[in-house]
Amino acid sequence: SFLQIRSLFRVTLETEPGLLHYYAVQTFAGLRPTEAAGLPLPAPGADFLRVNAERAKTRSARATPILPPLLLALSLLPCERPTVPYDTARERRLRRILREQGVPMTPDILRHTYATYRFPLVGEGELSRDMGNSPAVVFRHYRGVVTRPEAEEFLTINPLQDFTPKAEEAYRIRGVLRKLRIRKKRPGKLVEPLLVRRFIPRERDASLPPPGA
């Protein structure tokens, strides 16, 4: 649920902010945990997150579009290294805290979340290419789980919505937050509408508010 996704990133920022990218690429790009850890980060301005054949479970390279929530995480919280940070002990501790907060952390649950909310917008063909699965598997598991409006709302999630003073001080990005106009007191304005529109077919985006609304 959206509440659980929000809780995931809130707790991560408050306890282990270095793992935010690790969870973000799973939630908003559909990567497996083994694919996410140590993944080479895309260059600034890139449109796709690329998983090479050696890293992919199926040994087939693939490219997944960088959706608005992931773009926010990558842009606002640049890593010191060119790869997605990961630490086994820290992640184990964080998973325990998340479970105590009511956030289920079963294997591949974030990858399944991505597929569930992406299916109504792109269908099994494109989604199977993004995830490295067959169209039949994608259709069987993710068809009809959520509605199209819910899938569109997924694109407006801001993984940094619940920045605490502790997290803000750690990353020292107050100026960047203001520059990108992320309104922490206005949850309905989490992502610029024009940014979201790039990922919804034009003939079906009538439900989105106009830019600046």
Side-chain angles (χ1 to χ4, degrees):
S1 70
F2 290 117
L3 181 60
Q4 290 174 330
I5 295 172
R6 179 175 175 178
S7 296
L8 165 69
F9 289 104
R10 175 182 57 78
V11 174
T12 300
L13 285 168
E14 291 176 351
T15 58
E16 294 292 350
L19 290 173
L20 183 131
H21 298 86
Y22 173 71
Y23 286 145
V25 297
Q26 294 179 62
T27 307
F28 303 115
L31 271 63
R32 300 175 177 89
T34 53
E35 296 170 340
L39 177 80
L41 291 168
D47 293 324
F48 292 90
L49 195 67
R50 301 186 181 278
V51 181
N52 60 34
E54 292 74 19
R55 178 172 294 275
K57 179 180 178 180
T58 59
R59 294 299 180 261
S60 296
R62 69 183 192 272
T64 302
I66 298 176
L67 301 182
L70 181 56
L71 179 61
L72 284 174
L74 295 175
S75 301
L76 292 176
L77 301 179
C79 295
E80 295 181 358
R81 299 180 180 180
T83 58
V84 173
Y86 178 73
D87 182 279
T88 302
R90 291 179 180 275
E91 205 259 335
R92 186 182 300 116
R93 171 179 173 269
L94 180 54
R95 289 172 73 92
R96 184 180 67 253
I97 296 173
L98 287 167
R99 286 193 294 268
E100 293 172 353
Q101 296 284 331
V103 180
M105 294 300 292
T106 55
D108 285 335
I109 189 170
L110 301 181
R111 172 177 164 86
H112 296 318
T113 297
Y114 167 83
T116 297
Y117 286 100
R118 194 73 177 134
F119 186 95
L121 299 180
V122 300
E124 66 269 24
E126 182 175 334
L127 184 56
S128 65
R129 293 191 294 272
D130 291 346
M131 298 185 66
N133 274 341
S134 71
V137 168
V138 169
F139 185 86
R140 183 169 66 249
H141 287 288
Y142 305 114
R143 176 178 178 269
V145 179
V146 301
T147 65
R148 184 180 181 85
E150 289 173 325
E152 293 176 354
E153 187 178 357
F154 180 74
L155 293 178
T156 71
I157 292 175
N158 176 5
L160 311 180
Q161 177 181 354
D162 292 303
F163 251 99
T164 62
K166 175 182 176 181
E168 284 196 59
E169 182 179 357
Y171 286 103
R172 299 180 182 180
I173 60 171
R174 291 179 183 272
V176 180
L177 285 172
R178 288 195 297 270
K179 182 178 179 181
L180 291 188
R181 295 184 296 168
I182 295 180
R183 304 174 176 89
K184 290 183 287 184
K185 294 183 179 180
R186 298 180 63 187
K189 298 284 187 180
L190 299 183
V191 178
E192 291 296 329
L194 285 177
L195 184 63
V196 174
R197 285 175 186 270
R198 292 174 51 197
F199 300 90
I200 299 177
R202 291 184 180 180
E203 69 275 13
R204 299 182 179 180
D205 68 353
S207 63
L208 286 175

